[in-house]
Structure formats: structure tokens, C-alpha cells
Amino acid sequence: MPVKNAMTADFLRSAYGGESMAHMRYLTWAEDAEKKEMPNIGRLFRAVSYAEQVHAFNHFRELGQQTGGATVTAGAEFGMGSVAENLQWAIDGEVHEVEQMYPVYFQVAQCQQESGAQRSFHYALEAEKIHVTMFKAAQDAAKAGKDLPTKDYYVCPVCGFTGEGHMEDQCPVCKVKKELFKVFSA
Amino acid sequence: MPVKNAMTADFLRSAYGGESMAHMRYLTWAEDAEKKEMPNIGRLFRAVSYAEQVHAFNHFRELGQQTGGATVTAGAEFGMGSVAENLQWAIDGEVHEVEQMYPVYFQVAQCQQESGAQRSFHYALEAEKIHVTMFKAAQDAAKAGKDLPTKDYYVCPVCGFTGEGHMEDQCPVCKVKKELFKVFSA
Ligand SMILES: [Fe+2]
Ligand SMILES: [Fe+2]
Ligand SMILES: [Fe+2]
Ligand SMILES: [Fe+2]
Ligand SMILES: [Fe+2]
Ligand SMILES: [Fe+2]
């Protein structure tokens, strides 16, 4: 069901803006990590960037008939520093989504009985929790002057769930089969 | 030179937001055109999406030391309709950038003597003019129920200049050599 209520629609647009900018800065930081010979941190940024694309697509589609030009207000993080600094900004953005933004957006969608937006916000929230953990591990490595260990990352194209190493049989969040996962192989 | 003035910095952040969202919606519309068996219009959307990524990267880098979290206000277009409708929203967004946004941002950067931001806005403005023309040709085809003719697209990774068919020896906007162009081949 496409969205009907103005407040939920505003939050979908805002979340779309935030996810689009996150997707973009992770691509920038991926390129930077690769240049600095940290290909595994670079690949993590690429995988997470794709997860944010999945979230952005979902929010965009849920907007349904709310078409045309709009002014979007959204949070973003900026900066091109060391790999560890870039990861700190990445963590700051993800923590904001996990602790503030998506819980609030989810509550509003629930109270406005917007089931499609609720699902879209829920999918994003679950993935961002994982992103926080992954970026913290990457930052620990970077602070020690090391790259992450070499491993595959995979992303669910339906909900943006992001995994590493051994692939589960189905997405733990949306239950899609692993054959559909997008793999970022080492 | 990274940016020093608050107004130019605000416009860089806003342009970064706008380009990130444009990059994202063109990926969505590319996928949609491909599903509807219009692979050439799909490829045009992918090429232009990459050009917007170049613009977003440039604006992001010009922000320099203006790091950390910020609230970004930016324009975007929404909707998932027919290929011709999606192209109309694409045209609306590009026309806004060409006639309103980038000329204003460029003037402000000039008056604040922000040479880096000036270059970044100039590069974007020149590419958006071409995007308007390309999307209008694509919409003419889509309205006649046809795909575009099969041809290669190429994008300058420095300024986002977007070309089709025969490749020039160097970028007409920033003079980079054609060997660096990113090609979207048929
Ligand atoms: Fe996300
Ligand atoms: Fe995330
Ligand atoms: Fe999933
Ligand atoms: Fe652009
Ligand atoms: Fe454009
Ligand atoms: Fe160029």
C-alpha cells in the first residue's frame, strides 16, 4: 500500500535523502580506502553503500502516488580524512539512524497505519544496527594501522541486510533466499 | 582550495544532497526501463546516474574541513510511472538545476571568491545542460513507444560531461583525455 499520510510521506522523503547521501559518501570513502591499500575496508564500504541503495529504493517506491518535485530535509555526514576518521563519521550517521531516526519514523508510520512505510523503516533499522557493528570493527583495524581480514560480504536486495563470511540460507530479516543476495567477493 | 564561507558551504551541501538523490532515482528508473525492455534508455539513465555521482564527489571534496553531521536541504523529484513519465520528472529536475540552482550557486561562489566551489558548480551546470537534451530525446522515443537507438554513452570522471556515439579526444569541458572516460557500452 503506497503511503497516504503527509507526515509519513515526509519521513519517507527524508529517509530517501539520508540513504542516498549515505550511499554516496560510502562510495567516496570506499575509493579512498582502496587508494590507501585497505581493499577489505573498501569492500565493506561498497557492500554497505549497496545496502543503503536498497533502503533508498524501498522508501522511494513506498511514496507511490506522491510524485513530482519536493524539498527534502535530511541528515548527512561530511569529511574526507583518514580511514579511521571516515569510519567515525560513518558510525555517527548509523548510530543516529539506529537510536533516533528510524525508531521515530517507525512509530509515526505505525500510528498512521502505514504498513508499507513501516516495513521499509523496519528493514532499514535492522540493517543499520549491523552496519554500526561492522564499521566499529573496521575502525578498530584502521586505528591499529591494519586492513580488515579478507572476507566476502553479502547484501539482501530486498531489505539491505548485510552479512559477512558464511552466508545464511535465507535473509534473517525478510526471509528472501540466499540465491538472490548480492555478493561482494574478495 | 577548500571552501571557507558559510553560504557557499551550505550550497555545496545542498548540491551534494541533490546530486546524491538524482544519482539514486536514475538508478531506480534505469532498472525500471530495463524491466520494460528499453535497455538503451536504461543505459542512458545509468550513464547520467554516474555523471551525478561525479558531481556529488566533487561537491563533497570541496567541503574540505567542514566535517561532521549537518542537516541538508535539497530538491528532488519523486515517482515511479511509465518510462515517459519518469523521464519528465528527470527533465524537470535537470531544468531546475540549469535555469535556477547552478547559476545561483555559481554566482554566490564567485562573489565569495570560492574558486573550488565555482569550478564544481560550473562542471555540474555544463553537464546538466546536456542531460536535459538527452532526456528529451529519450522521452520523444518513449512517447512513440520506442527505445532509443543503440549507442555507447561515455562520462568524464572529472567533471561529469556526458557524451554519446563518437567519443571526442578530450573532454570539451575539463580537457581530460578520453582514455579516462567511463564508457557505458551497448
Ligand atoms: Fe540505510
Ligand atoms: Fe547503514
Ligand atoms: Fe532481506
Ligand atoms: Fe549533476
Ligand atoms: Fe544531470
Ligand atoms: Fe571533463
Side-chain angles (χ1 to χ4, degrees), chain B residues 48 52 94 97 128 131:
Chain B
V48 177
E52 313 311 4
E94 299 282 347
E97 288 179 302
E128 317 311 3
H131 296 167

Side-chain angles (χ1 to χ4, degrees), chain A residues 14-16 18-20 22-23 25-26 44 47-56 58-59 90-103 105 119-136 155 159-163 173:
Chain A
S14 180
Y16 171 76
E19 296 286 356
S20 297
H23 166 83
R25 67 180 173 267
Y26 295 162
L44 171 60
V48 177
S49 178
Y50 174 68
E52 313 311 4
Q53 177 179 328
V54 172
H55 298 156
N58 286 344
H59 302 330
I91 292 164
D92 292 346
E94 298 282 349
V95 166
H96 173 75
E97 287 180 304
V98 168
E99 294 184 353
Q100 297 288 325
M101 182 179 123
Y102 279 125
Y105 289 4
R119 186 182 52 231
S120 199
F121 294 147
H122 166 67
Y123 283 171
L125 174 59
E126 292 309 307
E128 317 311 4
K129 290 177 190 168
I130 300 163
H131 297 168
V132 172
T133 308
M134 286 175 148
F135 283 147
K136 283 186 174 168
V155 180
C159 74
F161 168 80
T162 310
V173 176

Side-chain angles (χ1 to χ4, degrees), chain B residues 15 18-19 22 26 48 51-56 59 94 97 101-102 123-125 127-128 131:
Chain B
E19 295 287 356
Y26 295 162
V48 177
E52 313 311 4
Q53 177 179 328
V54 172
H55 299 156
H59 302 331
E94 299 282 347
E97 288 179 302
M101 183 178 121
Y102 279 123
Y123 282 172
L125 175 58
E128 317 311 3
H131 296 167

Side-chain angles (χ1 to χ4, degrees), chain A residues 123 156-161 171-176 181:
Chain A
Y123 283 171
C156 171
V158 172
C159 74
F161 168 80
C171 175
V173 176
C174 79
K175 309 299 174 202
V176 109
F181 287 174

